[in-house]
Amino acid sequence: MLSLLADRVVTVLGGTGPQGRGLARRFASAGVKVVIGSRSAERAADTATALAAATGGDVTGLDNRGAAEAGDIVVVAVPWEGHGELLAEMRGQLAGKVVVDCVNPLGFDKQGPFALKVDEGSAAQQAAALLPDSTVVGAFHNVSAVLLEDPEAAQVDTDVLVLGDDREATDLVQSLADLIPGVRGVYGGRLRNAHQVEALTANLISMNRRYKAHSGIRVTDLDR
């Protein structure tokens, strides 16, 4: 699968947070050139230096704008609260690129996590509305950041549901998911189906709290 991605640069916006940093670690370990994006160029550079040392991979860090410009595939792993504002600002830098949105709009109260209502339907659909010149794909919503970041976790036992309206783009993102040992990228439907995949993260967090685990999902009876 790496041959499909060998000449592609993968940027991770929000790459200094747990989810983004964990994905960047796994991509760099697989031999992909990775750019970390952050509001702080200094923080991005520090994170990139640490990941490069840990993985032996090619990892650099830039501010969000520079990182967006540098990537061929751009993974959005920022907090939901800043999602819309950031993407609106990055519309020009993200034009013509495959944008992989893994943001989960969740709220938390005394009863635990719950899915938030998004006017566009989902975070991925909001991204598509804000980035008409990009190809938006939803993926990596339900992967444990703890396992992604754990150097002792040789494999991450989960499937990644990949959602989008462009077959070439979803195939590419499935290949990106397949680079992580133990992970399988699975086409999960068109982008309009992203809401329930994003919302499922609330269920997984609840499971993890109850069972003290880092749960994932597996889809049965597929031959890929």
Side-chain angles (χ1 to χ4, degrees):
M1 292 299 180
L2 182 57
S3 61
L4 295 176
L5 297 153
D7 297 325
R8 311 257 189 163
V9 177
V10 176
T11 283
V12 183
L13 300 181
T16 59
Q19 190 78 6
R21 193 170 56 234
L23 288 171
R25 169 186 282 273
R26 296 293 174 162
F27 299 151
S29 296
V32 174
K33 184 175 181 180
V34 175
V35 179
I36 299 293
S38 175
R39 288 176 295 179
S40 166
E42 181 179 2
R43 188 177 179 195
D46 289 344
T47 299
T49 298
L51 287 177
T55 65
D58 185 346
V59 189
T60 56
L62 298 168
D63 65 12
N64 280 326
R65 191 173 299 275
E69 290 176 343
D72 301 302
I73 303 168
V74 180
V75 178
V76 180
V78 300
W80 166 243
E81 291 75 16
H83 179 264
E85 181 180 358
L86 174 69
L87 294 185
E89 293 175 354
M90 297 290 112
R91 175 175 173 174
Q93 288 75 24
L94 295 174
K97 302 176 188 289
V98 174
V99 175
V100 185
D101 200 294
C102 64
V103 175
N104 298 309
L106 299 179
F108 295 85
D109 61 18
K110 291 182 179 179
Q111 297 184 62
F114 59 96
L116 297 175
K117 178 178 173 56
V118 179
D119 289 342
E120 295 86 353
S122 65
Q125 287 171 291
Q126 182 184 87
L130 292 169
L131 303 172
D133 301 315
S134 305
T135 303
V136 175
V137 175
F140 301 109
H141 299 98
N142 312 133
V143 187
S144 166
V146 173
L147 292 181
L148 288 172
E149 287 208 90
D150 185 356
E152 301 301 316
Q155 294 195 334
V156 181
D157 183 21
T158 192
D159 287 336
V160 166
L161 296 181
V162 179
L163 304 108
D165 300 327
D166 182 282
R167 176 64 181 268
E168 184 177 351
T170 56
D171 285 350
L172 180 66
V173 177
Q174 283 179 245
S175 298
L176 186 62
D178 290 345
L179 293 180
I180 303 173
V183 172
R184 178 179 60 168
V186 176
Y187 173 68
R190 291 186 174 271
L191 209 62
R192 67 184 183 183
N193 294 317
H195 166 73
Q196 51 264 43
V197 177
E198 296 171 3
L200 180 61
T201 304
N203 302 85
L204 293 173
I205 293 171
S206 297
M207 293 177 202
N208 292 339
R209 289 178 174 178
R210 172 67 64 89
Y211 298 109
K212 296 180 173 57
H214 303 296
S215 57
I217 61 171
R218 282 293 190 197
V219 181
T220 63
D221 199 28
L222 296 180
D223 60 3
R224 79 167 306 275

